Amino acid sequence: MARATDVNELAEHPNLTAVGLLVEVHAGLAASLGPSLEADHGLPGQRFEVLLRLVRSPGERLRMTDLAAQTTLSASGLTRVVDRLVDEGLVERAACPSDRRGAYAVLTAAGRTRVLTAVPDHLEQITSILAQALSPHEIETLSALLRRLRDVVHPDATRHTDTDC
């Protein structure tokens, strides 16, 4: 059995601190950015996240499995969000030609307009937050490091092909 001092040392491990800080930053960003997206643009954070992923993707479409890997949503949570976006006319579902079980989420013209209308305000808020703590070079470094971490924890997040649903 581990001694109390060993457990205390483990609890103070730098890796626990790093991941804890990432979780805190994510929660803080969501709390800071989400309310204005909903109040100003009628887009709760999760819906905005899905629309933003789609507008930034080739052909403004992603396989549902890839979209789930790129968001903070579970597969069932993503289905609910996409259902709501479909009901609002912001997203359409498209069948995968090579696999009837697979489906794409496809941004509609209305969805594109809605998300791009929200982006300037959202970007202004993000820029304000980041500029308080990081230089432009540090933001580039942070992005590179986060991509590397993302690729380890979500290796399929950037895999998207039109033939593999």
Side-chain angles (χ1 to χ4, degrees), residues 63 65 94-104 161-165:
R63 295 175 338 140
T65 53
C96 175
S98 64
D99 181 354
R100 290 185 184 199
R101 295 169 297 165
Y104 287 97
T161 64
D162 288 333
T163 60
D164 184 22
C165 294

Side-chain angles (χ1 to χ4, degrees), residues 20-42:
L21 288 168
L22 280 172
V23 170
E24 285 181 56
V25 168
H26 176 266
L29 286 171
S32 297
L33 301 171
S36 62
L37 279 170
E38 188 162 9
D40 298 341
H41 300 284

Side-chain angles (χ1 to χ4, degrees), residues 95-156:
C96 175
S98 64
D99 181 354
R100 290 185 184 199
R101 295 169 297 165
Y104 287 97
V106 182
L107 195 63
T108 65
R112 185 176 208 285
T113 298
R114 184 87 166 273
V115 71
L116 292 179
T117 299
V119 165
D121 292 339
H122 187 64
L123 182 57
E124 185 178 322
Q125 284 187 291
I126 289 171
T127 300
S128 173
I129 291 167
L130 292 177
Q132 292 177 51
L134 303 170
S135 71
H137 176 72
E138 289 170 323
I139 293 168
E140 287 178 24
T141 301
L142 176 64
S143 293
L145 293 170
L146 290 172
R147 275 190 187 91
R148 285 176 31 199
L149 281 172
R150 186 263 331 267
D151 291 346
V152 169
V153 299
H154 285 299
D156 291 335

Side-chain angles (χ1 to χ4, degrees), residues 54-76:
L54 290 173
V55 80
R56 293 178 56 148
S57 296
E60 297 182 340
R61 62 192 290 132
L62 278 172
R63 295 175 338 140
M64 291 290 286
T65 53
D66 292 336
L67 189 52
Q70 291 183 20
T71 65
T72 58
L73 298 163
S74 65
S76 62

Side-chain angles (χ1 to χ4, degrees), residues 41-55 60 64 67 71 73 77-93 104-112 114-115:
H41 300 284
L43 288 172
Q46 292 176 332
R47 286 190 233 164
F48 177 78
E49 181 181 9
V50 167
L51 293 174
L52 187 61
R53 295 291 177 172
L54 290 173
V55 80
E60 297 182 340
M64 291 290 286
L67 189 52
T71 65
L73 298 163
L78 176 65
T79 297
R80 286 190 296 275
V81 170
V82 169
D83 285 346
R84 176 105 13 140
L85 292 169
V86 167
D87 290 345
E88 294 179 35
L90 304 177
V91 169
E92 296 174 341
R93 279 197 173 82
Y104 287 97
V106 182
L107 195 63
T108 65
R112 185 176 208 285
R114 184 87 166 273
V115 71

